[in-house]
Amino acid sequence: MRVLLELLRKKDVVFERGLTSEELAQIESIFSFRFPPDLRLLLNMAHPVQDRFIHWRQALTSETCRKDILHRVTTELKEMVDAGKQLHEEMGISFDGTGFATETNPFPGIPRLIPIYGNRYIPVTPHEAANPVYSIFAADMIYYGFDLASYFRNEFHITLPAAFKVPDRPKMTPFWGTLAM
């Protein structure tokens, strides 16, 4: 992770000090999700704050920031969720009736996505490292990285050292993995 952070700094990605374990736990409580272990580690080591990165620390103290994040997740993902529900219903799979919509979980029964940067998201399920990162725009969804390292490689045009074992295909994730191209 240190190597990845250094490569990103060389691409002028701006970081603040990392989020503490307590801050991460508060964010997870506020938004009712758990960061995947690799994203959690990165945010604990250094918190990216420039441009279109999510300002998680601000979300701890700013209701406006929290609302912006939630608005983004609900508004930007609605078309994708609707398209996914339709596809899954055609496949004979139903995601309705498995929970109740809340302010922090607007799509019950559908695995959550965590915004990272712009319209890039990482799934919370499975709760393990090396989940793919998706780019979602309206009802279009593609893999933007097969894991966090390959996502940053693609987003910021960095060259990863050979020691990085980037997957040659994405891990299948519930619901979202069947929608990505």
Side-chain angles (χ1 to χ4, degrees):
M1 195 59 69
R2 290 187 197 290
V3 171
L4 183 58
L5 289 170
E6 188 54 39
L7 291 169
L8 290 168
R9 283 184 178 103
K10 287 180 182 177
K11 288 293 185 171
D12 298 324
V13 174
V14 177
F15 293 92
E16 288 181 350
R17 66 178 167 77
L19 297 166
T20 66
S21 296
E22 293 78 20
E23 287 173 320
L24 288 162
Q26 281 182 284
I27 292 164
E28 290 172 334
S29 176
I30 289 169
F31 290 99
S32 301
F33 64 68
R34 289 189 320 161
F35 287 109
D38 48 356
L39 180 57
R40 188 177 229 284
L41 176 61
L42 179 133
L43 293 171
N44 184 243
M45 293 176 73
H47 181 218
V49 293
Q50 75 180 49
D51 298 332
R52 301 176 336 168
F53 279 103
I54 299 300
H55 291 264
W56 295 111
R57 187 171 278 123
Q58 286 180 4
L60 291 172
T61 59
S62 168
E63 183 70 25
T64 301
C65 184
R66 283 193 295 275
K67 285 181 179 182
D68 287 347
I69 292 169
L70 291 170
H71 178 264
R72 181 177 160 177
V73 170
T74 55
T75 304
E76 292 183 9
L77 295 182
K78 182 163 181 8
E79 288 181 52
M80 196 69 228
V81 168
D82 289 344
K85 280 185 176 180
Q86 180 179 352
L87 175 67
H88 282 81
E89 287 171 4
E90 289 169 8
M91 296 167 53
I93 303 168
S94 176
F95 284 90
D96 55 5
T98 58
F100 298 97
T102 65
E103 185 176 317
T104 58
N105 187 8
F107 307 113
I110 296 174
R112 304 279 303 274
L113 292 177
I114 299 172
I116 298 174
Y117 178 87
N119 59 336
R120 314 294 193 245
Y121 298 85
I122 192 167
V124 299
T125 306
H127 186 258
E128 56 191 37
N131 285 341
V133 174
Y134 303 113
S135 178
I136 299 175
F137 183 74
D140 294 323
M141 179 175 181
I142 62 169
Y143 289 103
Y144 214 78
F146 293 167
D147 67 358
L148 201 56
S150 65
Y151 157 68
F152 283 120
R153 176 194 65 201
N154 297 339
E155 187 74 64
F156 295 100
H157 310 288
I158 59 177
T159 301
L160 296 174
F164 278 81
K165 303 295 184 212
V166 175
D168 57 1
R169 64 178 183 268
K171 176 192 306 182
M172 181 54 70
T173 61
F175 186 77
W176 301 105
T178 59
L179 303 178
M181 300 178 217

